[in-house]
Amino acid sequence: MGDTDSPDFNKARGFLIGYSLVVALLWFFGADLTQFKLMGNEIYLKENIRHVWLVIALINFYLWIRFLQRLPKRGLRFDENMHEALDAALIKICSIVHKRVAFRKAASEGVEKNEGELVNLQLSGVLSYRDELEHERGREFGPTGPWDYSYPYRAKVNFSMYKKFDKNGEIVNSYGASSYEATPNLILYRAAVVYAFLKGVVGLTWFTDNVWPLLFGCLSIGVAVFKWWQINSVVHVTFVNAFNQTLTPL
């Protein structure tokens, strides 16, 4: 059990996933657990056979707890890579939803400054909280990462506007300091979170490293407990029926 109790996170995850997979396969294929091989020797179970699945579930639960104890701090929350995916989704959503309003704002500014007629606008966005993180870096009591921020400030996007004007038939580029702030509504924010989560499930490691082992462990524990309950409920019903038959008068 030395390796099983190792403080190494990867070993704890490996044991949990491996054991949970074996349990799921045993259940799925209806394995006979009254006999098995251990170190090349045939082992036959004779007593408390109907509680084998409960013992399996308890061992699985132990490995589940050991993995949970070794999860990194904030391991069940989005990590930096997941937040970067969420950032990109928020910027994309805001650039689509607010493009028309930003265009009108830039066109109005162009008229006021006599820059001409706006013909093209490009938006380059950055999450406002990222600037604060950079500014607060290294402070003892400052924010430590994206997980310290919540909606709506977490979703505020600051766009730089790159404009092209038609001034007397000549195209003039403008890269001024004008900017546009946008915050998606709560529904769009939650849609971005779902998108980032799905992207993380497929293309990033946060879900498979931290969340999936716990879910898979819960599934295998549930299967083992259900199998134990199923076996013992059948035994109980059989015993009750046999007992009732002994009381039935001939």
Side-chain angles (χ1 to χ4, degrees):
M1 294 293 288
D3 286 339
T4 307
D5 285 333
S6 169
D8 183 78
F9 171 73
N10 292 327
K11 284 187 177 181
R13 181 177 62 231
F15 273 112
L16 176 60
I17 294 176
Y19 188 87
S20 299
L21 179 61
V22 170
V23 172
L25 291 175
L26 289 174
W27 165 78
F28 184 79
F29 291 108
D32 181 7
L33 299 182
T34 60
Q35 61 182 53
F36 56 92
K37 281 190 176 182
L38 180 64
M39 300 180 66
N41 299 316
E42 291 283 350
I43 303 297
Y44 296 91
L45 303 181
K46 293 184 178 180
E47 297 182 2
N48 298 316
I49 296 176
R50 67 179 187 274
H51 297 303
V52 169
W53 281 101
L54 179 60
V55 174
I56 290 175
L58 291 175
I59 296 174
N60 207 160
F61 181 68
Y62 167 78
L63 295 176
W64 189 89
I65 289 292
R66 299 298 284 177
F67 172 77
L68 183 64
Q69 292 171 344
R70 285 160 175 75
L71 269 176
K73 185 178 181 181
R74 292 185 295 267
L76 295 180
R77 301 178 65 181
F78 279 9
D79 61 9
E80 179 64 31
N81 291 330
M82 293 291 290
H83 276 286
E84 288 179 358
L86 178 56
D87 287 356
L90 290 171
I91 292 172
K92 185 65 175 179
I93 287 175
C94 286
S95 66
I96 294 174
V97 173
H98 291 267
K99 181 69 176 286
R100 183 175 299 179
V101 178
F103 190 93
R104 288 201 298 264
K105 180 178 184 292
S108 176
E109 291 176 349
V111 172
E112 293 177 0
K113 297 178 181 179
N114 195 28
E115 293 179 304
E117 180 184 357
L118 181 66
V119 293
N120 188 39
L121 175 68
Q122 293 181 345
L123 299 175
S124 178
V126 63
L127 273 295
S128 299
Y129 82 91
R130 289 287 182 180
D131 292 332
E132 181 177 336
L133 268 179
E134 187 67 26
H135 182 265
E136 298 290 331
R137 187 182 300 277
R139 291 189 57 180
E140 182 179 359
F141 300 105
T144 60
W147 35 81
D148 291 335
Y149 296 89
S150 58
Y151 183 85
Y153 187 70
R154 169 66 180 82
K156 184 183 293 184
V157 183
N158 185 33
F159 287 103
S160 297
M161 297 193 293
Y162 300 93
K163 299 163 283 188
K164 287 186 178 182
F165 293 95
D166 183 351
K167 188 173 184 180
N168 300 324
E170 181 182 354
I171 301 298
V172 179
N173 294 322
S174 175
Y175 303 102
S178 61
S179 62
Y180 179 82
E181 283 191 353
T183 302
N185 61 43
L186 187 57
I187 294 177
L188 289 178
Y189 175 73
R190 288 174 175 171
V193 172
V194 172
Y195 168 79
F197 176 80
L198 294 176
K199 183 176 181 180
V201 169
V202 176
L204 301 175
T205 61
W206 167 78
F207 182 81
T208 52
D209 281 352
N210 299 346
V211 181
W212 171 244
L214 290 174
L215 295 179
F216 192 36
C218 288
L219 175 64
S220 62
I221 293 170
V223 163
V225 171
F226 172 77
K227 190 67 177 178
W228 170 78
W229 173 83
Q230 191 178 42
I231 292 173
N232 282 272
S233 63
V234 171
V235 171
H236 176 72
V237 170
T238 303
F239 173 78
V240 170
N241 290 339
F243 180 75
N244 290 336
Q245 288 179 1
T246 61
L247 298 180
T248 302
L250 297 176

